[in-house]
Amino acid sequence: MKIVLCKIEQLNVVIDLTKKIWPVAYGEILSKSQLDYMIDKFYNEPALRELVQKGHVFYLAQDDNDNYVGFVSYEINSEPNKTKIHKIYVLPETQGTGLGRQFFELVKGKAIENNQKAIFLNVNKYNNAIHFYTKLGFVKVKDEVIDIGNGYVMDDYVMEINIVQ
């Protein structure tokens, strides 16, 4: 696997991956109408460009055939001295290959370079990814329900890991 910085003109790759990953990742958790709403609202080029302008950094993963298979985005100092992983997604057929851990280690390295004390993220309370984050050392620090409009909410745990040595 090769992990490369996502250029602004490659944000369409993030959108394409999301459309392949989300129905599998959230198909049993969210209604199709909520899935469609969230993808349309959060994964369009203007919305992603705005995130980049606000300091979100995206990386893409490519397999040995140069096919894109996942992405991660993070933000240094999303809270004081804390980096937030905003997005970490890999294609279903790529799960279990260590790519998620590679993405985490990349973000952890960037956070340490920037003297961050912790990394945190939101995860849907019913998402199997909770087990992955727990294995990495994340712990649940709070519950959070976020109104995203159109009568929908994100019902999440906030998980955090301290990275200060």
Side-chain angles (χ1 to χ4, degrees):
M1 295 285 173
K2 180 171 56 174
I3 298 177
V4 295
L5 182 64
C6 180
K7 300 181 182 110
I8 199 96
E9 59 271 11
Q10 293 175 300
L11 289 173
N12 62 315
V13 174
V14 171
I15 295 166
D16 291 343
L17 284 168
T18 300
K19 289 177 179 177
K20 293 175 185 170
I21 295 168
W22 272 43
V24 177
Y26 298 110
E28 294 182 9
I29 301 170
L30 306 175
S31 68
K32 180 171 180 348
S33 59
Q34 183 170 351
L35 263 176
D36 292 343
Y37 171 79
M38 291 177 72
I39 290 171
D40 290 345
K41 181 176 175 76
F42 300 121
Y43 288 89
N44 62 70
E45 200 163 326
L48 293 175
R49 282 178 178 268
E50 186 177 325
L51 293 178
V52 170
Q53 290 167 350
K54 290 180 176 178
H56 294 217
V57 179
F58 285 79
Y59 276 84
L60 299 168
Q62 292 176 288
D63 65 14
D64 295 336
N65 298 316
D66 289 335
N67 297 309
Y68 293 105
V69 295
F71 65 94
V72 64
S73 81
Y74 65 90
E75 179 185 12
I76 302 293
N77 284 318
S78 177
E79 290 182 4
N81 301 307
K82 292 184 180 182
T83 293
K84 182 170 188 177
I85 294 177
H86 286 284
K87 305 170 190 324
I88 183 167
Y89 293 106
V90 301
L91 288 173
E93 59 269 26
T94 309
Q95 290 180 356
T97 63
L99 178 56
R101 181 175 287 276
Q102 280 183 266
F103 276 148
F104 168 70
E105 292 297 335
L106 169 85
V107 174
K108 182 179 175 183
K110 299 293 184 183
I112 289 169
E113 283 174 25
N114 286 278
N115 301 310
Q116 303 287 279
K117 292 185 167 75
I119 298 171
F120 71 105
L121 53 82
N122 283 54
V123 60
N124 181 289
K125 289 178 183 174
Y126 306 101
N127 191 321
N128 288 332
I130 291 169
H131 304 296
F132 167 71
Y133 297 126
T134 302
K135 280 198 309 192
L136 291 175
F138 282 83
V139 295
K140 296 173 194 166
V141 293
K142 68 179 176 179
D143 292 22
E144 191 167 67
V145 177
I146 303 162
D147 184 337
I148 57 171
N150 216 38
Y152 299 120
V153 297
M154 293 192 311
D155 190 11
D156 292 351
Y157 290 122
V158 176
M159 298 184 77
E160 185 171 304
I161 185 171
N162 290 322
I163 56 171
V164 177
Q165 309 303 332

